[in-house]
Amino acid sequence: MRSNWRKQMMISALALTLSATNVAPVFASAAPDGKTNAVDIAQTMGTTAQWNRWEKEWETLKNDWTQISLSPGSNATELNFAWYTPKQTNDDHSNANVPKLIIGEGHNMKNAKVYEAEQTAVKDEQDNNGETYNSNKVTATGLKENKTYYYSYDNGNGYTKPAEYTTKSTNNFSFAFVGDPQIGSSNELKGKDTKEFYDAQSNAVKSDAFNWSSTLNAALEKTDDQLSFVVSAGDQIQTTKKKLPNKDASKSEIEYTGYLSPEALKSLPVATTVGNHDADNANYTYHFNRTNASELGSNKVVGGDYYFKYGNALFIMLNTQDTNVAEHKQFIEQTVAANKDCKWRIVTLHQDIYGSAEHSNEPEITNLRYQLTPIFEQNDIDAVLTGHDHAYSRSKMLLGGTKANDYTDDEFDAELEKDMDAGENPTTKTVAPGNIKNDSTDEKDQKYLAYLKSIMDEKAIETVKKQGSSVINPEGVLYMTAGSSSGSKYYDLVPRQQTYIAHRWQEDVPTYSVVDVTENSLTINTYRTDNDEKIDETFSITKSKGDTTSLNAEIKASESIVKQKDAYTTESYRVFEQALTGAKEVAADKKATKDEVENALKVLTNAKAGLEKKATTKPATVKKPTAEKKVVVAKASAKLKAGKKKVTVKIKKASVSGYQIKYASNKNFKKAKTRNTRKTIYTIKSLRSKKKCYVKVRAYKVVKGKKIYGSYSKVLKVTVK
């Protein structure tokens, strides 16, 4: 649907072009970025009355820096708060002057708890009246599921009217995924210290904030107010410190006021991600109280990576404005190791490393892609949620994407600009024109086209088992890029849809996704804000866990044998012990599939049968406990089969937790790659034809959370077809 406000933007863009160039010639340029005017979307949605009220309210609210933000706590029993208060004008630093937050059950705030805020001075900022501020942070603890609480906080002018917050279930829950509110981005003026700029900024924030509120309200209505929280992929506001008038950090506070103004946010926590528009101004850290915050991944301005748990899901939030990938890797590995009970693992970062709009083909983005994706795959990440490109896209399930060549971050700037050039008198578009043709004789054009082909990652597309709209037990990762949630700015889709894209959408309308999480499924539906129609089919990832009832019963029955160890031969008992350990690991693994459970049961049953056949005549006795023996992992054995640009590794099954495959193109294993798998058949893809592939395999057991490896198999060699 082409909306009225779309047409009005096109007319406005043309009028601006003509008025600015009524003498000078019109030069070709990229299509102007689209945006959504709040008046138009209010008319489309039938919320004009709300807009009229908001216009009046904004005039009194826009200078108020004390709006509160809610963020997820470390788990569902906690809730984080952050807000500003004016600094005290006297020197009394007693506890009486430290702001507090009160939270209790129900309207009467039964069993209320009072929390004293942890204060931090907001540096280098003062409002138009010369007032300076403190940032206040509180973590409320001990919250119960499915219960309504009310909270009130001291904003410097006394306690606020109590606001409602209702906890949700952690068994099956929903969260909203949004991209780039970027409040203030619809302001087209540069950041000059003029009344004209400040008026334009205020009007832009007023419009963008209304649209942002409309999106949140639509998501709440769609879920019958059952959202547990929101995940934002970054760029909460527009103006970086570098581009503010006089680089004055306080001049972006009006944008944070607009961002925090929706009534929905008084009862809806948001897990924010650092975007490039957030990253150079410390006021991001003052406005949001992020749990489990780390210095790993910090750009030394807005902090580093952080994580939280909700139910059976682990959410890892990366600050990829810091490009130290080694630190992000360390953070992910530490976080995953500390939260092994989480069945779902979801990462959020700002850059759309597998997106489909203007930024997605930039070497700066794709270089980051190939650094991060192996880390995601090694840590069994299920989904990666991104923003930055203001256009919706969903990838296919991807596994093993590889970088073909090295390119500098700005290598194809000229070609990217040429390809997106909209010609004379450009109007707003949704798909870029694609001016560089396949038959171009320009050497630079051909290098650019070869680059585009290399980053399609066709070989990384996983062949998956599907059931309806759901993929079953995939090994790969889903990548999603959110569109604009406020309509403050839209980017065009690239002219050549990437092979890795399953679906993409851009109609210059704000969008949001609802993600439903259960024990065994993660389901995504994405909607346009203006009419709540879906812009993509329902998509699900399903992990079909096997029924462990029989396995647990067999484990329990086998426990008595442990006390009769001396009644059996050493070798038969060793086989049984390995089978029992493996069975326990599978039974405790929330990701264990039906096949894995059945295999563990079979191995344990066979080991018990073998044990009985090889019983000794020595009477069974119960010995005193001895020191724990060193775990021994048998040497692995494998065979190779060459295929077209791939090699299949067939591993001899053993009673272990899994296998590690190491492969390289040389017998010294220089620049070797490793892959861990629980399966006995594994395919190494994206290899070079006619080249030798050297492979060795070793098994491992997981004991008390640590992997213990056996010795490597002999080195196997095969020539790739």
Side-chain angles (χ1 to χ4, degrees), residues 305-366:
D305 305 334
Y306 73 102
Y307 78 90
F308 64 96
K309 291 168 56 175
Y310 195 94
N312 62 351
L314 175 64
F315 293 84
I316 301 174
M317 318 295 288
L318 301 182
N319 175 10
T320 47
Q321 307 316 305
D322 174 60
T323 56
N324 190 333
V325 173
E327 288 192 2
H328 297 309
K329 180 177 186 289
Q330 183 181 349
F331 180 79
I332 291 170
E333 289 175 346
Q334 290 177 353
T335 301
V336 168
N339 297 277
K340 291 184 176 180
D341 58 323
C342 292
K343 183 167 185 175
W344 298 101
R345 297 171 184 173
I346 299 167
V347 166
T348 306
L349 59 107
H350 184 58
Q351 290 92 327
D352 59 319
I353 56 177
Y354 273 114
S356 196
E358 289 183 19
H359 290 309
S360 62
N361 286 337
E362 296 171 356
E364 179 183 6
I365 301 297
T366 58

Side-chain angles (χ1 to χ4, degrees), residues 506-607:
Q506 177 63 288
E507 288 293 336
D508 287 6
V509 177
T511 60
Y512 66 93
S513 297
V514 173
V515 185
D516 299 315
V517 183
T518 70
E519 174 67 21
N520 296 317
S521 67
L522 186 150
T523 303
I524 303 162
N525 286 287
T526 304
Y527 307 89
R528 51 191 292 164
T529 295
D530 61 341
N531 59 18
D532 269 344
E533 291 182 357
K534 290 172 68 172
I535 65 170
D536 189 4
E537 65 180 357
T538 298
F539 179 79
S540 295
I541 299 174
T542 298
K543 295 179 181 179
S544 58
K545 177 170 171 54
D547 184 353
T548 58
T549 304
S550 298
L551 180 60
N552 283 322
E554 192 68 20
I555 290 171
K556 187 175 181 181
S558 300
E559 293 286 3
S560 60
I561 297 175
V562 176
K563 298 179 181 180
Q564 305 296 323
K565 177 179 179 179
D566 291 340
Y568 309 101
T569 64
T570 302
E571 178 61 22
S572 64
Y573 185 80
R574 184 185 67 79
V575 173
F576 161 76
E577 189 176 41
Q578 288 181 343
L580 180 59
T581 300
K584 288 180 177 179
E585 290 171 357
V586 171
D589 186 358
K590 291 187 176 182
K591 294 185 178 182
T593 65
K594 179 181 178 182
D595 289 344
E596 289 171 330
V597 171
E598 290 178 351
N599 182 63
L601 178 60
K602 182 179 178 180
V603 170
L604 180 56
T605 303
N606 290 341

Side-chain angles (χ1 to χ4, degrees), residues 85-88 97-99 116-121 134-137:
T85 52
K87 287 184 179 178
Q88 298 292 328
N97 289 319
V98 177
E116 188 175 284
E118 180 179 326
Q119 281 198 315
T120 304
N134 286 321
S135 168
N136 309 282
K137 294 182 179 179

Side-chain angles (χ1 to χ4, degrees), residues 28 49 51 101 114-115 130 148 154 238 273 280 329 361 395 560 598:
W51 164 251
L101 181 142
V114 179
Y115 294 92
T148 297
D154 180 0
Q238 161 64 14
T273 311
D280 74 341
K329 180 177 186 289
N361 286 337
S395 78
S560 60
E598 290 178 351

Side-chain angles (χ1 to χ4, degrees), residues 150 200 689:
Y150 280 79
S689 298

Side-chain angles (χ1 to χ4, degrees), residues 107-403:
H107 282 282
N108 60 0
M109 301 179 78
K110 182 182 176 182
N111 301 320
K113 292 183 180 180
V114 179
Y115 294 92
E116 188 175 284
E118 180 179 326
Q119 281 198 315
T120 304
V122 176
K123 295 181 180 179
D124 305 322
E125 292 192 24
Q126 59 181 17
D127 64 18
N128 293 334
N129 297 319
E131 192 86 67
T132 57
Y133 290 80
N134 286 321
S135 168
N136 309 282
K137 294 182 179 179
V138 161
T139 297
T141 60
L143 303 181
K144 303 171 185 176
E145 285 191 24
N146 300 311
K147 186 173 285 293
T148 297
Y149 293 85
Y150 280 79
Y151 69 88
S152 175
Y153 64 100
D154 180 0
N155 66 1
N157 294 308
Y159 281 92
T160 60
K161 178 182 177 181
E164 180 180 335
Y165 171 71
T166 301
T167 58
K168 308 297 190 299
S169 170
T170 57
N171 291 328
N172 301 323
F173 67 93
S174 301
F175 69 92
F177 166 48
V178 300
D180 299 75
Q182 210 160 321
I183 304 301
S185 184
S186 59
N187 177 15
E188 297 177 357
L189 298 185
K190 301 290 185 181
K192 294 182 179 180
D193 190 13
T194 62
K195 183 178 185 300
E196 183 183 22
F197 169 77
Y198 296 125
D199 287 347
Q201 183 188 38
S202 177
N203 287 331
V205 171
K206 176 173 62 177
S207 177
D208 298 344
F210 181 82
N211 294 344
W212 166 230
S213 179
S214 297
T215 295
L216 294 171
N217 290 339
L220 285 168
E221 185 175 350
K222 179 64 69 176
T223 60
D224 195 24
D225 289 343
Q226 290 305 302
L227 289 179
S228 294
F229 52 88
V230 176
V231 170
S232 166
D235 281 357
Q236 278 61 233
I237 64 166
Q238 161 64 14
T239 316
T240 62
K241 184 176 180 180
K242 181 180 179 180
K243 293 187 177 181
L244 286 166
N246 305 318
K247 297 183 180 180
D248 181 352
S250 66
K251 299 306 181 183
S252 68
E253 288 294 353
I254 188 174
E255 296 174 1
Y256 275 110
T257 295
Y259 170 85
L260 294 171
S261 66
E263 189 66 24
L265 293 184
K266 304 298 183 288
S267 59
L268 188 59
V270 181
T272 58
T273 311
V274 176
N276 54 297
H277 287 262
D278 307 310
D280 74 341
N281 197 335
N283 55 15
Y284 172 87
T285 65
Y286 302 140
H287 280 293
F288 303 112
N289 187 0
R290 297 165 297 162
T291 188
N292 298 316
S294 172
E295 279 304 304
L296 292 172
S298 173
N299 66 344
K300 311 306 178 187
V301 179
V302 293
D305 305 334
Y306 73 102
Y307 78 90
F308 64 96
K309 291 168 56 175
Y310 195 94
N312 62 351
L314 175 64
F315 293 84
I316 301 174
M317 318 295 288
L318 301 182
N319 175 10
T320 47
Q321 307 316 305
D322 174 60
T323 56
N324 190 333
V325 173
E327 288 192 2
H328 297 309
K329 180 177 186 289
Q330 183 181 349
F331 180 79
I332 291 170
E333 289 175 346
Q334 290 177 353
T335 301
V336 168
N339 297 277
K340 291 184 176 180
D341 58 323
C342 292
K343 183 167 185 175
W344 298 101
R345 297 171 184 173
I346 299 167
V347 166
T348 306
L349 59 107
H350 184 58
Q351 290 92 327
D352 59 319
I353 56 177
Y354 273 114
S356 196
E358 289 183 19
H359 290 309
S360 62
N361 286 337
E362 296 171 356
E364 179 183 6
I365 301 297
T366 58
N367 288 340
L368 181 64
R369 173 201 298 179
Y370 296 117
Q371 293 179 76
L372 289 174
T373 51
I375 303 169
F376 298 152
E377 292 169 9
Q378 290 161 14
N379 288 277
D380 293 329
I381 302 302
D382 297 297
V384 176
L385 309 179
T386 68
H388 193 47
D389 236 349
H390 303 238
Y392 172 79
S393 67
R394 172 175 59 84
S395 78
K396 300 169 184 176
M397 299 304 299
L398 302 176
L399 183 67
T402 56
K403 188 175 184 178

